[in-house]
Amino acid sequence: MRSIRRPVMAAAALTAVVALTATGCGPSDEPANDKPTNAAGDTSGGGKFEIPKEIQDKLKEHGFDLDKWKNGEWKNWSKDKWLREAGEFINPIIKDFWNPDKIGKAKPPQDDTKPGDVSEDQGKTDPEPSAVPAKAVKTPYDATAPGVGLLVFNMPSEDGKGTTEARCSATVVKDPAHPGKSNLVWTAAHCVHAGKNGGWYRNLVFVPSFNKTGGTAGEIKNKPFEERVPKGKWWADDLATSKEWIKDGGAVPGVPMAPYDFALMHVKAEDGAGGKSLEEMAGGAYDVNFNAPPIGKIPSLTAQGYPAEAPFDGASMQECTDKPTRLSMAAEKPTMYRIGCTMTGGSSGGPWFTKGTDGKLQLISNMSMGPRPAKWAAGPHLGPEAKSLFDAMSQKWANKQ
């Protein structure tokens, strides 16, 4: 959750707050040093996986050669090759790309924010909440937190000369067009798009119930890889985020677009999943409430995710529960939710739940940003902008999966 610097507030700047996507999604310092293995073959290439013709056409439309892409061209982050606009996302499956080594390297990004340099009093509607220590989610995760998982991807390295593995958190959400069979995943914008100075990240893969039995990073190295990815690896084949984030978001002073820090993915299984949907494989999905009650009327929120910065190591799911308060970035922007929470980078994009009138959990926000050291966290209010994005994605995939 804190790897992108956080938004500057209306009256003054919260200069040291980092976005929780970077917060949990950051890149590692180590550049990828190997070529994709068993890359997806195109329709004529005889590969084990077949790249849909529409993706091949999109690659060609933007000047990409499929064979070059799967053999390393995806590492080219030059401006003329880094797609950034809505509708330009491409993410062809590269089988076995995310192996134990790469997933193990994915870390929250490095950040030069200094502990404690967040302005204490400016840009806030309500007083800063007290820190709420994160606690481990009970295992197995597919029973206690079905549908919540790890999001891994590639982004440019800090020096801009290479690429690096990065991580966030994400959640399966229900799709009204496919009841009980959703392939939709909710996360933070900064986990999928660099904002005003960049474009879409690459090789985005969602791993539901990552390391479902818990344990430390050291312990999971001795587990079969299948236990770390118990519900498979799901590649994003469509992706949308807010126009505000694309235009002005990213690691700019104060991350002023944090109120629009949300994104939605449509995914497909790397191995086909026997024809089953993500929701069926993950064991659950959640309604998204785009008309949540006023913040003061919400008794509690629970945030979940995989924090990977100290004192956490990214191997286990954590959660914080607190009564939300308001955080206003600017008078003309939606007010954000804020809770006390000590989850660190890696938790970005993870779900924020409350109970609906039926007593079931519903998603009303996602982890976006927070200060260093971690004391509280903030997430966007999901209103008309988010609903429009969601409806468009659901309708686009209504007659296909």
Side-chain angles (χ1 to χ4, degrees), residues 13 17 67 180 187 190 197 209 216 221 224 234 245 252 256 270 294 304 374:
V17 184
D67 289 328
T187 189
H190 74 261
N197 295 318
S209 298
T216 66
K221 289 180 180 179
W234 297 76
W245 185 267
V252 295
E270 178 175 306
Q304 294 181 328

Side-chain angles (χ1 to χ4, degrees), residues 4-8 15 17 194 196-197 248-257:
I4 302 184
R5 285 189 196 198
R6 167 176 175 181
V8 181
T15 54
V17 184
K196 66 182 295 183
N197 295 318
D248 293 311
V252 295
V255 191
M257 292 298 110

Side-chain angles (χ1 to χ4, degrees), residues 2 4-5 15-18 111-118 371-372:
R2 324 153 182 214
I4 302 184
R5 285 189 196 198
T15 54
V17 184
V18 261
D111 185 82
D112 57 7
T113 300
K114 297 176 182 177
D117 63 356
V118 175
R372 270 196 171 93

Side-chain angles (χ1 to χ4, degrees), residues 310-326:
F312 308 102
D313 63 11
S316 62
M317 193 187 306
Q318 303 286 319
E319 66 181 6
C320 297
T321 298
D322 195 16
K323 179 174 176 56
T325 58
R326 298 164 295 182

Side-chain angles (χ1 to χ4, degrees), residues 34-49 51 59 64-75 92-95 97 203:
D34 55 344
K35 292 184 178 180
T37 57
N38 298 322
D42 68 17
T43 52
S44 61
K48 185 172 181 181
F49 274 78
I51 302 282
L59 282 164
F64 293 104
D65 177 272
L66 180 59
D67 289 328
K68 289 182 179 179
W69 178 272
K70 67 187 183 184
N71 286 309
E73 176 64 16
W74 62 265
K75 297 178 183 178
I93 290 175
I94 303 176
K95 182 173 170 55
F97 177 83
N203 301 318

